[in-house]
């Protein structure tokens, strides 16, 4: 299997109003003070609250939700988010 095949992505259609969220494991693996992960479920919940928000506002909202969850503790992993809003 070639390197290109290993990283080949599926093809899918997106429609007006759709959002695409790409993130690193630092987001899903953010822990609170009792050792609980932020997890995919909370990411989905935060994203659902952003239907009418810009890509920038969506990122800010998700990061705020992570911050509320983790409290003042520093993350142990880097976190990268990319949001694409389909407008046409």
């Amino acid at each position: 299997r070639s390197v290109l095949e290993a990283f080949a992505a599926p093809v899918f259609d997106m429609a007006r109003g759709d959002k695409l969220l790409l993130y690193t494991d630092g987001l899903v693996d953010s822990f609170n003070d009792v050792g609980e992960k932020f997890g995919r479920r909370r990411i989905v919940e935060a994203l659902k609250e952003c239907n009418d928000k810009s890509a920038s506002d969506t990122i800010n909202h998700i990061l705020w939700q992570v911050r509320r969850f983790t409290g003042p503790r520093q993350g142990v992993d880097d976190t990268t988010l990319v949001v694409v809003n389909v407008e046409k």
Side-chain angles (χ1 to χ4, degrees), residues 6-23:
F7 290 98
V11 176
F12 53 91
D13 294 322
M14 295 183 71
R16 185 172 191 212
D18 286 348
K19 284 186 187 286
L20 174 65
L21 171 65
L22 306 171
Y23 58 89

Side-chain angles (χ1 to χ4, degrees), residues 45-84:
E45 288 171 4
L47 187 60
K48 285 180 178 179
E49 297 168 351
C50 297
N51 287 336
D52 60 342
K53 296 185 185 299
S54 68
S56 177
D57 287 345
T58 298
I59 289 171
N60 288 333
H61 178 75
I62 292 170
L63 291 176
W64 175 247
Q65 294 303 315
V66 171
R67 184 63 153 171
R68 287 181 59 208
F69 178 79
T70 61
R73 55 183 284 149
Q74 292 287 333
V76 295
D77 196 359
D78 64 300
T79 300
T80 302
L81 289 143
V82 175
V83 173
V84 177

